[in-house]
Amino acid sequence: AKVFEAAGLKVEQYTYLDSSTGTTLDFEGLIKDLSSSKIPEGSVILLHCSAHNPTGVDPNPEQWKQIIDVFAERKLIPLLDSAY
C-alpha cells in the first residue's frame, strides 16, 4: 500500500482473512466489501493471483467466479500481483 500512497493514490482496505481463524478466507466479507459503496465503481483493486502474501489463503475456483462477477457488475479493475 505504501508504494501506491507514495504515488499519490488513495488506498483503502477490503476484508480478506477471517479474523476469527487467521487461516481462512472471509469470502462473505470480501464480497460484501467489493459490492459496497465503500469501494467506488471503477476502482482498481489489488488481488494476489495465488499464494496470497502473507497468508497463503486463496479463493477456490467457484469463489473466483463470484469475485469476477462482482468486478464485472461494478466495473472494478483488477490489478493482479503474481510474485511466483
Side-chain angles (χ1 to χ4, degrees):
K2 294 200 183 288
V3 170
F4 297 111
E5 291 170 342
L9 299 173
K10 181 179 176 186
V11 175
E12 297 288 340
Q13 294 186 4
Y14 57 85
T15 300
Y16 192 83
L17 194 62
D18 185 332
S19 60
S20 67
T21 65
T23 59
T24 58
L25 177 65
D26 180 352
F27 185 69
E28 288 181 24
L30 171 63
I31 292 298
K32 180 180 175 185
D33 284 355
L34 292 176
S35 299
S36 78
S37 60
K38 169 182 167 180
I39 298 174
E41 186 174 289
S43 293
V44 176
I45 309 296
L46 178 64
L47 296 168
H48 291 257
C49 299
S50 63
H52 179 270
N53 188 9
T55 68
V57 175
D58 299 318
N60 66 39
E62 183 57 39
Q63 290 169 328
W64 273 116
K65 289 177 188 174
Q66 292 177 50
I67 292 167
I68 290 167
D69 289 344
V70 172
F71 270 67
E73 179 182 310
R74 303 227 35 251
K75 299 178 179 69
L76 301 174
I77 301 164
L79 176 59
L80 301 174
D81 180 358
S82 180
Y84 305 99

